[in-house]
Amino acid sequence: MNEIPYIPFHRPDIGQEEIDAVVQTLRSGWLTTGPRTEQFEREFAAYVQSPCAQAVNSCTAGLHVALAALGIGSGDEVITTPLTFCATVNCILQTGATPVLADVGPDGNIDPDSIAQRITGRTRAIMPVHLGGLACDMDAIWSLAREHRLFVIEDAAHAVGSHYRGRPIGAGDSDGRAASDAVVFSFYATKNLTTGEGGMVTMHDPALADRMRVLCLHGISKDAWNRYTEHGSWYYEVQESGFKYNLSDIQSAIGIHQLRKLETSIQVRAAYTSMYNHAFAGLPELEVPPQCHTSRHSWHLYMLRLNLERLGIDRNEFIRVLKRKGIGCSVHFIPIPLHPFFAADANLAWNHCPRALALYPRLVSLPLYPNMTEDQVLYVIKSVQETICSARKTRPVGVSAAITGELGKP
Ligand SMILES: *Cc1c(COP(=O)(O)O)cnc(C)c1O
């Protein structure tokens, strides 16, 4: 039945350059954090137009160390979105702070009006997530943060290559007046830029960058760390209890080459997105992913929305049918209140997110990555169209049929 072999939901785009760079690093004799990581940090900071960058071994680690470096902990509240990966909320819990969920707006991103309603005397930070690569309304979030003296830590796991009003996520606003305290990117295997596992925190405050560097390596002081990395020196001092969150040179060697390909890969993602949008926009059973014309989408995810009231099948059946046709889909995300780890908190009034819960059953992410072929994109389009056509709710006979006069035809 399959015309082409299985199209997985994602396949990482690793080329000969990455493979050669890893081999070179392995042969160099320096495997852990060193010259390649320093280079990757420098080039990444330049790419997102941020003065400082700290490489970390995951986005989860980066979110955690950012919260810790900003002094967030027990008794504090941090406002984030229900439509995210569990890591965003786990990091808040691990500092001892309380996560508070603000509901999403029509675009699926955290709604600034809902954030405003959730701010209390204990609120210390806002953690927006650029869902799928669509930039959040940062002007509104920065303005709330200024007004209430809150930190902003962006979960930019999907947003490497996204722009907000003409500037890369991480760069801050165009007149240099506002920027988040920390912006955290993910280089997990499925993300737009991958090092297998890895991440980057960018920030504008060099003092915060220094503090994060110390916390990422056991709490070893920066000066001692500089001596430590010089061959032949054995002495170091632990200034405070820190974490083990540094990125290895093996991974950074991959990241350097992934970064060089990023602009091209985003162009391919955008082209495939246009093909999807063009094919699906005319189907009333589907709603194409929201876009913002003043910001560039990274198209990390193509999050299609089903108009369930027009369909005889639900989202799970839609995914099963596509799987039988040889296409892997996914769902982003199971809202935080639906997970057992959050069950006790889900019923609290400040975690009520009816719009996120209503959106969730409609969401299906289709395969979208630069090493898909155009034929594969066309096959996904054809398969989605077929699935929709055969699941289309038939109009009630005698009502719409009578209106269109079809029954009267001989
Ligand atoms: C992938 C992801 C993370 C976690 O990234 P890791 O690098 O795997 O730690 C965090 N937040 C969101 C929204 C993600 O999609």
Side-chain angles (χ1 to χ4, degrees), residues 58-61 63 84-85 87-88 129 155 157-158 186-188 191 197-198 333:
S58 72
C59 173
T60 306
L63 293 168
T84 186
F85 186 56
T88 322
V129 177
D155 179 338
H158 303 174
S186 173
F187 309 143
Y188 181 66
K191 302 288 160 67
E197 298 280 357
F333 285 95

